[in-house]
Amino acid sequence: MTRSLFEEEHELFREQVRRFAEREVAPHFRDWEKAGITPKEFWRKAGEAGVLCTTIPTEYGGGGGSFLHACVVTEEMARIGASTGIPVHSDMVSPYLMHYGSESLKQHLLPRLCRGEIVASIGMTEPGTGSDLKSIRTSAVRDGDHWVISGQKVWITNGANCGVVLVACKTDPSAGAKGVSLIAVEAGTPGFSKGQPMDKIGLKAQDTAELFFDNVRVPIGNLVGEEGRGFVYLMQQLPQERLVIAVRSCAILEANLEATVKYVRERKVFGAPIAEFQNTKFKLAEAKAYITMLRSFVDDCITEHINGGITSEKAAMAKLTSTELLGRYLDEFLQLHGGYGYSNEYGIGRAWVDARVTRIAGGTSEVCKDIISRGL
């Protein structure tokens, strides 16, 4: 379908990102999956190519673009089926620093993030807390000119690779959500350690790890924004995170619909292409109808976001519908591939496995439904 939200500069940038993805990602991605991590060399190359931190102003080393540029990167990585952790690095951590960090913290961290010299992650989830951010137990106690952090984080994207992590911690355990703060902790700080990349069923190349904090001392200047405002900051940024998931999900559906149409036209069963069977036609027709509707809605959400910010309710709608349809139709596409769909020879199998987490990460489908229900 024709999309009106991108201008010529965005399409020129898309060509740049697509060339980078096909040159530096696609040929190596299977090796990264086997290794369970995206190499740091990739991050440096991505920084050199201008693929990272596209919305960060040029004075901090970023691309100086809009959320549309970020969408281009997300869509092009999704098109080749690559999960690299860029959205967390570029579209989550960098904006936190840009919007809430002190000038000295921005000057210290953002240029290195933009160049890919260090990889960024955000530590929210803990064992037993899941989506309940108010219940985190990682603590940060003020001691003179330092914060002393103790606790554990789990399911942290870019955790093994990270050079800096924004840690959601309790600076006032008695204040509930109002006691949560965000503090930047750099790799190499005494007491900060990482677990091995976790053995997940999907997203193999996107390293995920446990992080441990044993009386980690960091300067008070590493506080991101104001003390006790961390939960508010997280709630302000979560709509964009959910929208990024929707953007990626929609792009994955479009790419795999195209790949499946091509496959069924070539694959023959009982002497005829699979595409000629009514079941195949109906399955793909339904998929195209729903994906086209989804694309229209997601693009509308992108437009709303760049024109002033998407609401939590609408972002939850975008994430819920896109990820539920992603799981539904990738399963249909895999079925149309037959036995080949279950092998690693075709990208549909990897996409199908990778997609399962989208209904969990960034707020489960149930959490999204709860947010939507508040507006009924």
Side-chain angles (χ1 to χ4, degrees):
M1 61 179 290
T2 301
R3 304 173 68 186
S4 59
L5 71 168
F6 293 108
E7 298 178 359
E8 183 180 2
E9 66 164 304
H10 303 116
E11 296 305 336
L12 290 173
F13 181 61
R14 185 183 299 278
E15 293 178 11
Q16 174 186 334
V17 177
R18 182 168 296 187
R19 287 195 299 269
F20 172 81
E22 292 177 347
R23 181 181 69 250
E24 301 293 349
V25 182
H28 312 293
F29 193 72
R30 291 289 294 276
D31 291 334
W32 299 349
E33 287 188 310
K34 293 175 183 177
I37 195 167
T38 301
K40 292 184 178 180
E41 179 185 7
F42 158 79
W43 291 94
R44 290 188 290 271
K45 289 182 178 180
E48 292 172 0
V51 172
L52 302 178
C53 305
T54 56
T55 64
I56 299 301
T58 55
E59 55 262 40
Y60 297 106
S66 70
F67 183 67
L68 288 173
H69 293 86
C71 289
V72 167
V73 176
T74 297
E75 290 177 355
E76 289 306 307
M77 291 298 167
R79 187 183 65 83
I80 62 170
S83 54
T84 59
I86 287 179
V88 170
H89 177 97
S90 296
D91 306 323
M92 290 179 58
V93 178
S94 297
Y96 279 112
L97 291 170
M98 188 64 226
H99 294 317
Y100 312 118
S102 65
E103 183 61 26
S104 60
L105 196 60
K106 288 189 281 191
Q107 292 283 0
H108 177 59
L109 291 174
L110 284 175
R112 291 190 287 161
L113 296 184
C114 295
R115 292 192 296 265
E117 292 177 3
I118 58 174
V119 181
S121 63
I122 185 164
M124 291 190 283
T125 305
E126 297 182 1
T129 63
S131 298
D132 185 9
L133 297 177
K134 298 177 184 178
S135 300
I136 61 174
R137 294 185 295 273
T138 296
S139 64
V141 179
R142 180 75 178 267
D143 182 20
D145 292 333
H146 289 80
W147 292 103
V148 181
I149 303 173
S150 297
Q152 177 184 356
K153 298 294 180 179
V154 68
W155 300 114
I156 306 305
T157 299
N158 297 340
N161 253 337
C162 75
V164 62
V165 54
L166 299 191
V167 184
C169 47
K170 285 287 183 67
T171 48
D172 184 354
S174 65
K178 295 182 179 180
V180 176
S181 301
L182 292 179
I183 300 176
V185 179
E186 295 187 65
T189 305
F192 173 33
S193 59
K194 311 170 185 178
Q196 292 296 312
M198 302 177 76
D199 186 12
K200 311 184 299 293
I201 64 172
L203 299 178
K204 294 287 191 178
Q206 181 177 294
D207 67 285
T208 307
E210 291 181 278
L211 303 180
F212 305 93
F213 306 88
D214 183 11
N215 293 316
V216 178
R217 296 178 65 87
V218 299
I220 57 173
N222 282 31
L223 179 69
V224 178
E226 300 177 26
E227 181 181 347
R229 295 277 292 172
F231 187 78
V232 174
Y233 299 152
L234 292 169
M235 294 304 102
Q236 289 174 343
Q237 293 301 312
L238 273 173
Q240 176 167 299
E241 177 186 348
R242 289 170 178 153
L243 180 54
V244 169
I245 293 172
V247 170
R248 177 173 170 80
S249 297
C250 192
I252 291 171
L253 278 168
E254 290 171 333
N256 282 278
L257 172 60
E258 181 181 347
T260 303
V261 169
K262 180 181 178 181
Y263 176 81
V264 298
R265 286 173 175 169
E266 297 173 350
R267 175 78 165 126
K268 292 186 177 182
V269 176
F270 304 120
I274 299 174
E276 294 184 6
F277 292 97
Q278 186 183 64
N279 177 71
T280 304
K281 293 177 182 178
F282 283 9
K283 293 289 187 183
L284 293 176
E286 178 186 306
K288 182 176 181 180
Y290 277 94
I291 294 170
T292 301
M293 291 284 286
L294 178 66
R295 165 54 67 201
S296 180
F297 176 58
V298 171
D299 278 3
D300 180 67
C301 289
I302 294 171
T303 301
E304 182 174 320
H305 187 55
I306 62 178
N307 287 337
I310 189 172
T311 64
S312 295
E313 181 181 6
K314 197 164 185 180
M317 292 179 183
K319 182 185 183 298
L320 175 67
T321 54
S322 63
T323 57
E324 292 290 337
L325 289 176
L326 181 65
R328 173 179 173 180
Y329 286 113
L330 287 184
D331 190 77
E332 295 281 14
F333 298 159
L334 190 150
Q335 187 71 17
L336 289 172
H337 278 76
Y340 289 104
Y342 202 67
S343 74
N344 283 323
E345 181 180 350
Y346 291 84
I348 181 61
R350 184 175 68 231
W352 177 70
V353 175
D354 288 351
R356 186 57 185 88
V357 76
T358 62
R359 288 183 278 161
I360 300 172
T364 64
S365 291
E366 290 72 25
V367 167
C368 290
K369 289 174 184 178
D370 184 65
I371 293 171
I372 297 165
S373 70
R374 298 171 195 172
L376 297 176

